Amino acid sequence: MKKIKHVPVMFNEVLNSIPKDCKILMDGTVWHGWHSKLILENFKNIKLICVDRDPNIIETAKQNLSEFKEKIQFVRESYWKLESILENKKVDYILLDLWVNMEHFKDAKRWFSIKHCWPLDMRFDTNQKITAEYILKNYTKDKFKDIFEKYWDFKWKLLDEIIRIIIKSRHKLKTTFDLTNSLKEWWIWEKKIAVIFQVIRIEVNQELEQLEMFLWKFQDYLNPWGRCGIITYHSIEDRLTKNRFKELDKNWLKNLTKKVIFPTLKEIEKNKPSRSAKFRLIEKI
Ligand SMILES: C[S@@+](CC[C@H](N)C(=O)[O-])C[C@H]1O[C@@H](n2cnc3c(N)ncnc32)[C@H](O)[C@@H]1O
């Protein structure tokens, strides 16, 4: 079995948020199964439905969690497609941990990072047709404007200029470096380029739309007293979660984190990626 060395983000907060009598939990973003493993070790009578949209990742999760295989059902699917994941079942807890992990940044075929010369891909789900290359080569000026304004919380002073550069150089865009070099020629800084990459990744994977769809219906798949815990790393994802939880608080659900939970300083020191994490929790009553 592959050894799990990593400590999952906000694991104490996640473990403490799971009711003691929780029997069935859906981990909607299982990745290599770090949260799932801790949950299985701490809740002896629990069964898990482990979901990830990335087919390679599901295989690694199966290996890492093989000692618990009788207790887990693996599903390769997007977490928001609850009707096909759960069919008629309801669960006691749903966990989402929405970070894009380092594995994706290191995967040369996906092109998630600006640091290496890679093809323009960026899909979580490798069966999906739309890639970053498709977007960069086909989107109109208005469509680019729309996604940059929607997926980034700050005003973009150079937005028109950036879009003009992308459209002008799109015919020669094959790799990450083609895009970074085209932008650098016009004095766009690396920090901004990283944000441009992030916006395109969010669009390729429809990350915010999927979260919105999930937030719209997850309560129908929770048992009474069932809970949903969501860890976000992006201000827009957190805002969507916060606003929806607030809305649902008036409708048979209780928002248990009116004040959002942050990782402790000790955790941030030990595990840098946790620094932008925020945890929110809601309960069905
Ligand atoms: C931060 S990792 C989760 C880490 C996990 N909690 C752990 O402790 O090992 C996020 C995972 O979510 C997956 N993911 C992203 N969007 C998804 C979606 N719409 N549906 C299902 N999985 C998704 C990614 O493939 C990635 O494996």
Side-chain angles (χ1 to χ4, degrees):
M1 191 188 85
K2 223 175 162 179
K3 265 232 161 1
I4 299 181
K5 293 185 220 105
H6 186 90
V7 180
V9 170
M10 301 190 78
F11 67 94
N12 267 325
E13 290 78 358
V14 169
L15 287 180
N16 290 334
S17 73
I18 302 172
K20 290 277 165 290
D21 55 352
C22 180
K23 291 196 177 58
I24 177 151
L25 176 147
M26 173 180 138
D27 182 348
T29 51
V30 68
W31 194 37
H32 288 176
W34 294 331
H35 276 116
S36 284
K37 186 168 195 276
L38 274 176
I39 293 166
L40 284 155
E41 284 170 349
N42 283 277
F43 293 81
K44 298 293 172 215
N45 296 321
I46 209 165
K47 290 223 160 89
L48 257 58
I49 300 168
C50 291
V51 181
D52 206 288
R53 72 192 279 195
D54 185 321
N56 305 326
I57 279 182
I58 279 281
E59 288 314 309
T60 313
K62 278 185 189 165
Q63 280 177 32
N64 286 344
L65 297 167
S66 60
E67 64 185 294
F68 301 101
K69 66 175 186 284
E70 280 84 33
K71 294 182 163 193
I72 309 176
Q73 179 197 347
F74 288 96
V75 186
R76 194 193 67 74
E77 189 52 278
S78 261
Y79 62 74
W80 66 275
K81 292 193 178 165
L82 292 163
E83 46 294 306
S84 77
I85 299 168
L86 297 176
E87 296 165 347
N88 297 321
K89 286 193 287 289
K90 292 194 180 196
V91 293
D92 299 321
Y93 194 105
I94 303 178
L95 173 67
L96 296 185
D97 173 14
L98 296 170
W99 187 47
V100 183
N101 47 63
M102 292 331 271
E103 206 74 6
H104 280 126
F105 282 96
K106 285 186 215 148
D107 185 342
K109 289 184 231 80
R110 306 291 183 86
W111 183 73
F112 274 28
S113 161
I114 69 170
K115 301 274 179 221
H116 307 275
C117 186
W118 290 339
L120 305 162
D121 189 323
M122 281 194 156
R123 293 166 300 167
F124 282 123
D125 179 351
T126 42
N127 297 326
Q128 174 188 306
K129 288 209 172 73
I130 303 244
T131 60
E133 182 171 359
Y134 176 87
I135 288 171
L136 288 162
K137 296 217 160 136
N138 291 285
Y139 272 22
T140 59
K141 185 177 166 220
D142 288 346
K143 191 83 174 111
F144 275 124
K145 210 165 179 159
D146 183 44
I147 63 170
F148 280 111
E149 284 173 355
K150 209 157 92 196
Y151 301 153
W152 190 244
D153 250 358
F154 302 99
K155 276 262 164 275
W156 289 70
K157 271 198 199 134
L158 292 172
L159 186 53
D160 286 338
E161 192 57 14
I162 289 168
I163 295 173
R164 190 189 64 76
I165 300 164
I166 294 176
I167 291 179
K168 191 166 174 262
S169 50
R170 63 172 27 152
H171 65 280
K172 56 178 181 191
L173 298 182
K174 279 260 167 260
T175 66
T176 20
F177 279 8
D178 294 338
L179 180 59
T180 32
N181 291 338
S182 306
L183 292 161
K184 277 182 183 167
E185 270 173 35
W186 293 88
W187 307 102
I188 310 290
W189 293 4
E190 258 198 17
K191 262 197 173 165
K192 192 141 255 174
I193 296 176
V195 174
I196 295 169
F197 275 48
Q198 188 189 46
V199 167
I200 294 173
R201 191 205 74 223
I202 293 175
E203 176 66 3
V204 169
N205 297 296
Q206 295 285 294
E207 290 171 36
L208 300 184
E209 286 75 5
Q210 302 209 348
L211 176 61
E212 274 178 313
M213 285 188 280
F214 171 86
L215 289 169
W216 193 249
K217 60 186 170 185
F218 73 90
Q219 70 274 19
D220 296 339
Y221 294 86
L222 287 177
N223 284 320
W225 311 110
R227 290 179 173 185
C228 172
I230 303 186
I231 306 174
T232 61
Y233 302 81
H234 186 294
S235 55
I236 305 180
E237 282 173 351
D238 179 58
R239 198 166 53 238
L240 288 174
T241 310
K242 179 175 92 179
N243 291 342
R244 184 66 182 146
F245 279 12
K246 208 166 154 189
E247 223 170 79
L248 288 169
D249 193 45
K250 297 172 206 133
N251 291 301
W252 304 105
L253 280 103
K254 188 167 180 209
N255 184 1
L256 299 178
T257 44
K258 291 208 167 117
K259 278 206 171 129
V260 68
I261 303 178
F262 294 100
T264 58
L265 285 176
K266 206 165 147 199
E267 173 169 4
I268 296 172
E269 264 168 34
K270 280 195 184 154
N271 184 13
K272 274 251 165 81
S274 70
R275 68 188 180 279
S276 45
K278 289 180 186 159
F279 181 55
R280 293 189 185 272
L281 184 69
I282 196 162
E283 181 177 70
K284 188 164 175 175
I285 46 178

